[in-house]
């Protein structure tokens, strides 16, 4: 018997159907072997496929949204899915079937539906009941995006110690202005006279 897990966000739901991997001693409620998935966006046709289709579609949505956030040209094209902005609020999605003689499915979604879809994908990635981390969503980011992500990681790692050292230096420098060597000399002379 197959397991079903659903992820919901407002007007979008994602259903994952599959089996646990008993060879890894997984719980019977787990899903590691995904046989089918269904993405239901309100007022749009049902989108479904196999695990080979889920990976590129999730990657496409993540890369496209990343381009939107960075104010770069929001356009993603692949052999399975194309996403491009119609304007600031409408996004055109063209899903191409892997089956021959099937016309592509074209959808127009707004920012809220795009956000809800990505939220469902995030829920899937964070779920402890689905083992999707083992290579399901690959990092097919461009070299430019990978460089920026590495740059952000570098700054997140080195910035706190750098700020701490600068703060210490600044604090120590201000204390020098309050130090009066003449006053210290007078105190030492009073102590030596006693």
């Amino acid at each position: 018997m197959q397991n079903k897990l659903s992820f919901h966000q407002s007007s979008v739901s994602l259903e994952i159907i599959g089996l646990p991997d008993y060879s890894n001693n997984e719980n019977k409620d787990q899903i590691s072997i995904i046989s089918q998935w269904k993405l239901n966006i309100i007022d749009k046709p049902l989108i479904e496929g196999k695990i080979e289709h889920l990976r590129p579609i999730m990657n496409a949505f993540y890369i496209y949204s990343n381009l939107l956030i960075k104010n770069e040209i929001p356009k993603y094209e692949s052999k399975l899915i194309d996403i491009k902005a119609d304007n600031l609020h409408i996004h055109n999605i063209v899903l191409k079937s892997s089956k021959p003689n099937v016309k592509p499915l074209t959808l127009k979604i707004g920012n809220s539906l795009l956000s809800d879809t990505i939220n469902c994908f995030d829920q899937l990635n964070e779920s402890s009941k689905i083992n999707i981390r083992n290579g399901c969503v690959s990092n097919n980011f461009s070299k430019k995006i990978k460089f920026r992500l590495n740059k952000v990681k570098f700054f997140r790692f080195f910035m706190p110690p750098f700020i701490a050292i600068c703060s210490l230096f600044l604090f120590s420098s201000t204390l020098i202005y309050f130090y009066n060597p003449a006053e210290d000399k007078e105190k030492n002379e009073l102590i030596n006279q006693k």
Side-chain angles (χ1 to χ4, degrees), residues 12-25:
V12 177
S13 66
L14 175 65
E15 185 178 274
I16 305 294
I17 302 164
L19 298 166
D21 186 358
Y22 291 115
S23 65
N24 287 335
N25 296 324

Side-chain angles (χ1 to χ4, degrees), residues 173-189:
S173 299
T174 56
L175 289 179
I176 289 174
Y177 288 109
F178 294 111
Y179 177 69
N180 188 350
E183 193 177 291
D184 193 38
K185 196 175 190 180
E186 288 175 10
K187 284 182 186 177
N188 284 339
E189 286 177 2

Side-chain angles (χ1 to χ4, degrees), residues 8 18 29 56 59 82 96 127 130 136 146 164 171 184 188 190:
H8 305 280
D29 297 330
N59 282 339
D82 294 343
K96 305 166 196 171
S127 174
I130 295 182
C136 179
K146 278 186 183 178
F171 181 71
D184 193 38
N188 284 339
L190 286 174

Side-chain angles (χ1 to χ4, degrees), residues 108-126:
K108 285 185 183 269
I109 63 172
N111 288 337
S112 61
L113 290 176
L114 178 67
S115 175
D116 291 348
T117 304
I118 291 171
N119 190 292
C120 285
F121 291 149
D122 287 343
Q123 290 177 44
L124 171 64
N125 281 328
E126 296 299 319

Side-chain angles (χ1 to χ4, degrees), residues 160-172:
F162 179 73
I163 292 171
I165 290 170
C166 288
S167 299
L168 248 162
F169 178 75
L170 186 64
F171 181 71
S172 301

Side-chain angles (χ1 to χ4, degrees), residues 16-180:
I16 305 294
I17 302 164
L19 298 166
D21 186 358
Y22 291 115
S23 65
N24 287 335
N25 296 324
E26 288 184 352
N27 187 342
K28 65 178 182 170
D29 297 330
Q30 290 278 132
I31 296 177
S32 286
I33 304 165
I34 298 173
S35 58
Q36 186 180 9
W37 59 272
K38 298 176 183 178
L39 181 65
N40 190 7
I41 301 173
I42 198 163
D43 294 333
K44 306 291 180 206
L46 179 69
I47 302 166
E48 58 185 340
K50 296 182 180 180
I51 187 65
E52 306 89 55
H53 305 130
L54 182 60
R55 289 182 200 135
I57 289 174
M58 288 177 71
N59 282 339
F61 274 89
Y62 282 127
I63 292 169
Y64 178 78
S65 63
N66 198 8
L67 292 171
L68 276 174
I69 290 168
K70 293 182 176 182
N71 287 329
E72 294 182 14
I73 298 169
K75 186 176 182 180
Y76 179 88
E77 293 179 342
S78 72
K79 65 179 182 178
L80 188 63
I81 182 171
D82 294 343
I83 310 175
K84 65 179 181 177
D86 200 16
N87 57 44
L88 286 174
H89 309 289
I90 303 294
H91 312 280
N92 292 320
I93 301 171
V94 178
L95 293 160
K96 305 166 196 171
S97 178
S98 57
K99 296 177 183 175
N101 301 325
V102 177
K103 290 183 180 179
L105 175 65
T106 304
L107 305 172
K108 285 185 183 269
I109 63 172
N111 288 337
S112 61
L113 290 176
L114 178 67
S115 175
D116 291 348
T117 304
I118 291 171
N119 190 292
C120 285
F121 291 149
D122 287 343
Q123 290 177 44
L124 171 64
N125 281 328
E126 296 299 319
S127 174
S128 60
K129 292 195 173 198
I130 295 182
N131 191 2
I132 197 165
R133 291 160 197 81
N134 294 337
C136 179
V137 180
S138 61
N139 289 330
N140 289 335
F141 295 118
S142 69
K143 288 182 181 178
K144 188 176 181 182
I145 292 172
K146 278 186 183 178
F147 175 74
R148 287 184 182 168
L149 291 175
N150 288 335
K151 201 164 137 180
V152 168
K153 287 179 187 176
F154 175 80
F155 281 115
R156 282 188 182 165
F157 182 77
F158 283 108
M159 283 310 286
F162 179 73
I163 292 171
I165 290 170
C166 288
S167 299
L168 248 162
F169 178 75
L170 186 64
F171 181 71
S172 301
S173 299
T174 56
L175 289 179
I176 289 174
Y177 288 109
F178 294 111
Y179 177 69
N180 188 350

